[in-house]
Amino acid sequence: MAKETFSSRYPAFRSRDFRLLWTGQLISNIGSQMQIVALNWQIYVLTHSAIALGLIGLVRVIPIIIFSLFAGVVADAFNRKKVMYVTQTLLLLFSLVLTIATYLKFVNPLIIYMTTALSAIALSFDLPARQAFLPGLVTKEDLSNALSLSSIMFQTSTVLGPTAAGFLIARTNIGLVYGLNAVSFLAVIIALYRITNSGKVIGDKVDVSLKGIQEGITFIKSKTIIWSTMLLDFFSTFFASATALLPIFAKDILRVGPEGLGLLYAAPAIGAVIAGSTLAHFKILRKEGIVLLSAVTVYAMGTIIFGVSHIFFLSFFALLLVGLGDNVSTIIRNTVRQLATPDSIRGRMTAINMIFFMGGPQLGEFEAGVLASAIGAPGSVIIGGIGTLIVIGVMTLGLPTLRNFDQKTHIPLSH
């Protein structure tokens, strides 16, 4: 009876292929989240510079902007499983470089920025292939549940990964964190080997060409609900990038050290897990436009509270609100976009979206670092939260299609 209840509550887990990918990604993402904390802490310890910390975001986003459109066509033109084999192997190797450089004590900011940039290039090809691959592992009816469970998986990793990284950094060589991340990529590679889905693209054959890229852009422009949610994602995360400055808050404002830094990184993920677990119970939401805009408002308010706070527990709670609001909006946006996009164009849609959802926070990290160097970290975060509230107001008034959106009446299931 308990098994039946679990299956009815989380129907996507009935798919063996989805379970394999979900488990492999959970392990790999824990390692990746550990590495993010290690990179940010190491660069700040090496440079003591808010701008140097913000540059990590800039170095991540430039390769994504350059390569993502081409990567989207690749994800629609080639076997998605094979693309992921290549990208996951490259990501493993780049983590090994950081491991060796750190243990041999010749690591420096240049090596950190170079490996970060190379990893971003690999990720720009990995993400469109992976997100376009996922809908083929479950039924159309279970896709929303699969995306909620994927969000829970990702956010769980951002609780466990940063927390573990904080304690490891405080007690061992930081190179161990990079080494564990390298090993974690094997979990996805093994999962891909065991997944029965071939990874072939369903639908019209796509050529790797400028015409293929243009087809993706034309499709996005024709779907107001897709491009409007992309814009909302970009501008809200560009302004509200509090997590980029967490090492400064942990070290200089809250004075909680690397252990406290790990907990601060974990706080948004805890809120996101709460949101994902709640939304996983709903087969379909109603009035998603209102829910989406409300969720981003919670995200902005949490950011402002974090910028004002000088108390660790209040800061932790504020970041929990940030994660909760962000994840509700993420799940709604991803579900709508996946269901509204045919399989033969999902890679390109995901790649274009990647410019927005990764470009926003990564450029925002650089902006937050520059602003923090001028007026201090708290002021930078507070201004970012206020900027997000302004974006929400403008889009609520200016885009009635977004404000009034209801999935049940607007989006037919596509697969």
Side-chain angles (χ1 to χ4, degrees):
M1 189 67 176
K3 185 177 181 181
E4 291 177 359
T5 302
F6 182 84
S7 296
S8 61
R9 185 170 292 176
Y10 305 112
F13 274 143
R14 290 194 292 252
S15 165
R16 175 182 176 274
D17 283 352
F18 176 75
R19 293 196 307 270
L20 284 169
L21 183 62
W22 190 94
T23 304
Q25 283 189 281
L26 174 63
I27 296 169
S28 179
N29 280 328
I30 290 172
S32 296
Q33 293 301 316
M34 290 171 63
Q35 179 158 305
I36 288 171
V37 176
L39 280 173
N40 287 344
W41 182 261
Q42 191 170 40
I43 202 74
Y44 189 60
V45 168
L46 288 172
T47 65
H48 299 286
S49 167
I51 293 179
L53 194 58
L55 272 173
I56 288 284
L58 192 64
V59 169
R60 284 195 188 110
V61 75
I62 289 175
I64 289 169
I65 292 172
I66 294 172
F67 290 98
S68 61
L69 292 178
F70 177 68
V73 180
V74 169
D76 286 336
F78 296 99
N79 185 297
R80 290 161 179 167
K81 186 190 285 191
K82 292 179 180 178
V83 172
M84 290 172 65
Y85 274 128
V86 174
T87 56
Q88 292 291 312
T89 301
L90 289 173
L91 288 166
L92 185 158
L93 292 174
F94 298 144
S95 290
L96 277 180
V97 170
L98 283 171
T99 305
I100 294 169
T102 301
Y103 271 112
L104 296 182
K105 301 185 186 303
F106 63 82
V107 69
N108 56 46
L110 178 61
I111 290 174
I112 292 174
Y113 290 136
M114 286 182 63
T115 53
T116 299
L118 290 171
S119 295
I121 294 172
L123 188 63
S124 70
F125 285 86
D126 181 81
L127 195 58
R130 178 156 37 95
Q131 290 203 358
F133 182 52
L134 186 147
L137 306 183
V138 296
T139 65
K140 290 182 290 186
E141 293 74 18
D142 292 341
L143 179 59
S144 178
N145 184 257
L147 291 171
S148 292
L149 289 170
S150 294
S151 175
I152 292 171
M153 172 272 297
F154 177 78
Q155 299 300 341
T156 299
S157 71
T158 56
V159 173
L160 300 177
T163 304
F167 284 99
L168 286 172
I169 292 168
R171 291 166 172 76
T172 67
N173 190 309
I174 201 169
L176 177 62
V177 176
Y178 299 137
L180 290 173
N181 183 43
V183 173
S184 75
F185 288 111
L186 292 174
V188 175
I189 294 171
I190 293 169
L192 289 171
Y193 178 76
R194 298 185 63 197
I195 286 173
T196 57
N197 185 292
S198 67
K200 292 181 180 178
V201 180
I202 299 171
D204 298 333
K205 182 175 175 56
V206 177
D207 294 324
V208 179
S209 63
L210 290 176
K211 180 182 177 182
I213 294 174
Q214 183 60 45
E215 286 175 354
I217 295 172
T218 301
F219 173 79
I220 298 298
K221 288 169 64 177
S222 71
K223 298 284 186 179
T224 301
I225 192 59
I226 293 181
W227 64 255
S228 65
T229 56
M230 288 181 179
L231 283 177
L232 179 64
D233 190 10
F234 176 85
F235 284 110
S236 61
T237 54
F238 174 79
F239 286 115
S241 296
T243 54
L245 303 175
L246 285 186
I248 298 175
F249 279 88
K251 191 172 187 295
D252 301 332
I253 297 172
L254 300 174
R255 301 185 185 279
V256 290
E259 293 97 335
L261 175 65
L263 292 173
L264 290 173
Y265 270 111
I270 294 171
V273 169
I274 293 170
S277 300
T278 302
L279 289 181
H281 292 281
F282 294 92
K283 284 205 170 223
I284 189 169
L285 288 173
R286 296 301 306 272
K287 300 187 183 301
E288 289 93 339
I290 296 296
V291 176
L292 173 60
L293 291 165
S294 299
V296 181
T297 301
V298 171
Y299 170 77
M301 293 304 299
T303 299
I304 294 171
I305 294 169
F306 177 76
V308 171
S309 172
H310 282 68
I311 303 169
F312 176 77
F313 292 107
L314 179 59
S315 298
F316 184 90
F317 175 74
L319 290 175
L320 187 145
L321 288 180
V322 167
L324 189 149
D326 184 44
N327 203 37
V328 169
S329 66
T330 297
I331 292 171
I332 292 173
R333 293 193 312 265
N334 285 345
T335 301
V336 169
R337 287 194 289 251
Q338 290 283 14
L339 290 174
T341 307
D343 185 71
S344 61
I345 208 167
R346 277 199 178 113
R348 282 165 287 177
M349 182 277 292
T350 301
I352 293 169
N353 179 50
M354 185 166 58
I355 296 175
F356 290 87
F357 91 83
M358 295 193 74
Q362 304 301 344
L363 288 173
E365 286 186 12
F366 180 67
E367 174 270 335
V370 172
L371 194 57
S373 69
I375 64 173
S380 174
V381 171
I382 293 167
I383 290 174
I386 293 171
T388 301
L389 289 177
I390 293 172
V391 168
I392 296 166
V394 170
M395 298 195 75
T396 299
L397 295 173
L399 287 170
T401 299
L402 174 63
R403 181 180 69 244
N404 299 323
F405 179 76
D406 188 317
Q407 178 183 324
K408 191 170 184 180
T409 57
H410 284 76
I411 294 289
L413 291 175
S414 309
H415 207 263

